């Protein structure tokens, strides 16, 4: 694929990703994606045959962003505690969007789980990548494998609960308020290992 074609493909994926987040997958039409990407309708079929194909590409795009973000955390935060707190900070930094649209991972997974389980299996990979990463952080603090994985699930579940309540009540301040509580929990769990 030429560079121009790859740029067009990426523009379609990024437009779809934004629409899936803001409107939901089922409420976004193929025409919405074409219009948002600024691509002639006939040309989009060169890149994607169906909306499901676009969703799969958007999921790959999101997973790539998550992996890039985790690599950045590894480079810039020398301790597991610092990396775990960065995970919380990223949520806080997105609080306005979360209040309006919900968590991009959580809302899409919830929508797809209702009647599109085959695609939702791919979507939950986003959460699985985070569980694996968070588990590694707790392992690096000295917890055994079972405890580290349980703590990772606990942190991710707490985070999703906070995201959900932030969205349900359209209250970006709630996420900000919960940051201190989540950070205290992280401090307690990273200092008691071993």
């Amino acid at each position: 694929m030429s560079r121009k074609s790859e740029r067009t493909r990426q523009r379609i994926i990024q437009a779809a990703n934004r629409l899936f987040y803001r409107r939901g997958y089922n409420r976004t039409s193929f025409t919405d994606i074409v219009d948002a990407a600024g691509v002639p309708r006939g040309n989009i079929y060169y890149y994607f045959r169906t909306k499901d194909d676009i969703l799969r590409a958007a999921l790959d795009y999101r997973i790539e962003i998550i992996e890039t973000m985790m690599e950045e955390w590894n480079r810039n935060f020398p301790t597991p505690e610092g990396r775990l707190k960065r995970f919380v900070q990223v949520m806080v930094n997105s609080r306005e969007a979360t209040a309006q649209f919900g968590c991009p991972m959580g809302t899409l997974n919830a929508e797809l789980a209702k009647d599109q389980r085959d695609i939702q299996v791919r979507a939950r990979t986003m959460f699985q990548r985070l569980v694996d990463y968070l588990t590694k952080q707790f392992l690096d603090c000295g917890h055994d494998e079972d405890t580290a994985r349980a703590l990772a699930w606990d942190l991710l579940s707490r985070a999703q609960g906070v995201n959900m309540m932030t969205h349900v009540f359209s209250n970006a301040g709630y996420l900000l308020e919960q940051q201190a509580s989540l950070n205290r929990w992280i401090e307690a769990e990273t200092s008691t290992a071993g």
Side-chain angles (χ1 to χ4, degrees):
M1 190 177 288
S2 72
R3 258 188 225 173
K4 183 179 178 190
S5 291
E6 183 54 35
R7 282 194 305 269
T8 301
R9 184 177 187 281
Q10 282 304 114
R11 199 166 72 234
I12 294 166
I13 293 167
Q14 290 169 355
N17 185 54
R18 282 189 302 276
L19 289 167
F20 296 158
Y21 177 40
R22 293 179 179 173
R23 291 185 184 175
Y25 175 71
N26 291 314
R27 290 186 55 219
T28 299
S29 71
F30 212 74
T31 300
D32 294 333
I33 296 167
V34 168
D35 291 346
V39 176
R41 186 172 180 91
N43 290 6
I44 201 167
Y45 293 106
Y46 172 76
Y47 303 98
F48 302 101
R49 293 282 176 216
T50 67
K51 192 171 86 165
D52 285 356
D53 291 339
I54 297 172
L55 175 59
R56 287 182 187 91
L59 289 170
D60 290 343
Y61 172 72
R62 287 185 184 190
I63 291 165
E64 185 178 309
I65 289 171
I66 291 167
E67 289 175 350
T68 299
M69 186 172 52
M70 291 185 300
E71 289 169 8
E72 180 263 328
W73 298 347
N74 287 338
R75 279 192 310 275
N76 296 320
F77 297 91
T79 65
E81 180 182 324
R83 293 188 284 272
L84 293 167
K85 286 182 175 180
R86 180 61 180 160
F87 164 72
V88 173
Q89 185 62 52
V90 167
M91 287 178 14
V92 171
N93 292 348
S94 302
R95 65 188 175 275
E96 296 297 333
T98 301
Q100 188 171 2
F101 304 111
C103 168
M105 295 187 318
T107 55
L108 182 61
N109 269 277
E111 179 182 6
L112 295 175
K114 291 178 183 170
D115 59 6
Q116 292 153 303
R117 292 298 268 177
D118 56 326
I119 300 173
Q120 190 270 331
V121 168
R122 179 69 177 146
R124 78 174 170 217
T125 301
M126 295 181 287
F127 281 117
Q128 190 59 58
R129 293 282 203 282
L130 280 172
V131 167
D132 293 344
Y133 182 84
L134 298 173
T135 298
K136 170 123 178 39
Q137 305 318 304
F138 288 113
L139 281 169
D140 288 351
C141 289
H143 289 289
D144 63 75
E145 178 75 34
D146 290 341
T147 302
R149 187 152 297 275
L151 289 169
W153 276 96
D154 196 8
L155 178 55
L156 194 54
S157 297
R158 288 169 185 251
Q160 281 302 298
V162 169
N163 283 334
M164 174 63 81
M165 297 308 286
T166 296
H167 178 55
V168 166
F169 289 96
S170 298
N171 181 359
Y174 179 69
L175 214 158
L176 192 59
E177 292 167 12
Q178 293 303 305
Q179 181 179 19
S181 174
L182 288 169
N183 282 341
R184 281 193 303 274
W185 181 86
I186 288 168
E187 289 164 7
E189 295 301 340
T190 55
S191 66
T192 58

